[in-house]
Amino acid sequence: MRKYIIADNQELTRFALENLLRKDNESIVYHAYDKAGLVELLKEHESAVVLLDYTLFDFADEDQLLIIAERFSLSDWVLISDELTPQFTRRVVYSSHQFSVVFKDGPLSELREALNAVERHTRYLSQRALETIITQQQEDETPSILTTTEMEIVKAIAQGKTTKEIAAERFSSIHTVTTHRKNIFRKLGINTAHEAVKYALRAGLIDPSEFYI
């Protein structure tokens, strides 16, 4: 009987994944709500399958994810997210065969194929994941330049302001700020606000004395 750890902070997704696992397999399902909880569960169940939405979890960067995966080398991971940067996807896939990749807006059949693959201790890459990796290999990796508006929003994110607060300050809609945020993350090749803070520090947008990273 395979053990699964659902590491996703969307309640609806957790519910759907658990029901899928219990319907399709004889499974034992656990839930992790942060990185520390995930590590504790992996200590008890080293060969578990982790279903992770990386973009919603509290990983600072992909290095932390890869370190934990390497530490628990018997585990298998299925990354399930709305969006992952090409740089992240390529690095994770090339670094370890423990990782399968599917996307939340993909067909259910892909998730089922990924689960069947990890049952056999092999990995599964969805068509979109493969296309993302191939496209990234072909692109010039010179970073795109942020617009003035995007630089201001990066600074606000680094200062710990929420999307709602940024929208109010800029007299913009939350949707507009969310779109800017996605474009910023795509251009910088990052997935988390923590990585945005590190970029803002390197770019001199914020005072390093205010932060402890």
Side-chain angles (χ1 to χ4, degrees), residues 2-213:
R2 199 73 194 269
K3 297 177 180 178
Y4 294 84
I5 301 172
I6 298 176
D8 190 308
N9 286 324
Q10 287 182 327
E11 184 176 3
L12 182 60
T13 304
R14 290 197 306 270
F15 176 81
L17 287 174
E18 181 166 359
N19 278 273
L20 177 65
L21 291 170
R22 295 194 186 280
K23 180 179 179 181
D24 290 356
N25 306 282
E26 290 186 0
S27 310
I28 299 176
V29 181
Y30 303 93
H31 292 275
Y33 301 97
D34 55 31
K35 185 178 66 208
L38 175 58
V39 169
E40 289 304 311
L41 283 170
L42 283 169
K43 287 179 182 178
E44 298 179 28
H45 315 288
E46 293 187 353
S47 60
V49 176
V50 180
L51 307 179
L52 170 71
D53 188 334
Y54 172 81
T55 59
L56 295 181
F57 232 59
D58 61 337
F59 285 101
D61 51 38
E62 61 261 38
D63 287 330
Q64 289 188 350
L65 173 61
L66 291 170
I67 288 169
I68 291 175
E70 182 178 2
R71 177 180 175 186
F72 300 101
S73 59
L74 298 178
S75 63
D76 291 294
W77 299 66
V78 181
L79 302 182
I80 310 174
S81 296
D82 287 319
E83 188 172 351
L84 294 169
T85 64
Q87 295 92 335
F88 170 87
T89 305
R90 187 174 67 169
R91 184 179 179 200
V92 168
V93 167
Y94 285 178
S95 296
S96 173
H97 284 275
Q98 292 170 260
F99 291 98
S100 297
V101 182
V102 297
F103 290 89
K104 286 186 175 179
D105 61 356
L108 183 59
S109 59
E110 288 188 340
L111 177 56
R112 284 200 166 102
E113 288 181 46
L115 294 173
N116 289 334
V118 297
E119 278 291 317
R120 303 187 299 272
H121 295 288
T122 60
R123 79 168 170 197
Y124 175 85
L125 300 177
S126 69
Q127 183 63 33
R128 179 177 164 189
L130 288 170
E131 290 172 356
T132 297
I133 293 168
I134 293 170
T135 300
Q136 176 61 21
Q137 288 174 332
Q138 296 172 341
E139 288 181 351
D140 180 3
E141 295 191 8
T142 302
S144 301
I145 298 174
L146 298 184
T147 65
T148 301
T149 296
E150 289 169 343
M151 293 287 276
E152 291 171 353
I153 290 175
V154 168
K155 182 176 179 179
I157 291 171
Q159 291 171 336
K161 295 177 181 177
T162 66
T163 299
K164 184 177 180 180
E165 290 170 338
I166 296 170
E169 287 182 357
R170 300 187 62 81
F171 302 101
S172 300
S173 69
I174 292 176
H175 174 74
T176 298
V177 175
T178 299
T179 300
H180 280 306
R181 181 187 175 104
K182 287 183 177 179
N183 289 335
I184 291 164
F185 282 24
R186 175 180 54 80
K187 286 184 177 182
L188 297 181
I190 62 177
N191 293 280
T192 67
H194 185 89
E195 291 172 299
V197 173
K198 292 197 288 187
Y199 171 82
L201 286 168
R202 291 195 302 270
L205 298 176
I206 55 178
D207 184 354
S209 65
E210 299 176 13
F211 295 87
Y212 301 90
I213 297 178

